[in-house]
Amino acid sequence: MSKIRTVCLRFNPDKPLHKKAFEYLKTMDKSAFKSYTQAAALAITEYFERYLKKCDDPYFETREREERFIEQMVAAVGNAVEKALPGFMAAYLTNLAQPYQQTAPPIEQESDLSEIDLDFVGE
């Protein structure tokens, strides 16, 4: 004999939170949630587990947001590198295929001091 507990839930449509909760229950995906009981049990369990973690660790949500941000940044950088890699490799291989040419240093020209304005020098 199982010990099933019954709890009656009432939703007041005049209260926005109640109305929203009931709308979620009415429109829930029946393939993901088999019943109102399963949806309510899951929601209550997740809510209180999160609430208790937050009570034990006041920085829990901040760290969680930071970790999500870092994961998003790593994914974005990875995607950018993945998109840029073919062009980078093509340029690199093109440079390897060209024979090495050493360029001569530029020839220094004698400067013409007659064109320099030296009026700022005291007389």
Side-chain angles (χ1 to χ4, degrees), residues 68-122:
R68 273 196 315 266
F69 176 73
I70 289 169
E71 287 172 4
Q72 290 171 346
M73 291 301 295
V74 167
V77 169
N79 289 338
V81 167
E82 190 175 301
K83 288 179 183 176
L85 192 57
F88 172 77
M89 289 303 296
Y92 179 74
L93 292 174
T94 301
N95 285 339
L96 284 179
Q98 294 177 355
Y100 179 73
Q101 296 175 357
Q102 184 172 1
T103 57
I107 300 172
E108 291 188 27
Q109 297 176 352
E110 292 184 27
S111 59
D112 186 11
L113 295 179
S114 63
E115 294 182 14
I116 299 176
D117 183 16
L118 298 174
D119 288 343
F120 68 92
V121 179

Side-chain angles (χ1 to χ4, degrees), residues 10-27:
R10 294 181 299 150
F11 296 99
N12 183 346
D14 295 333
K15 295 182 178 181
L17 182 65
H18 289 215
K19 184 176 180 178
K20 190 174 185 179
F22 188 67
E23 288 298 320
Y24 280 134
L25 286 175
K26 284 191 335 186
T27 60

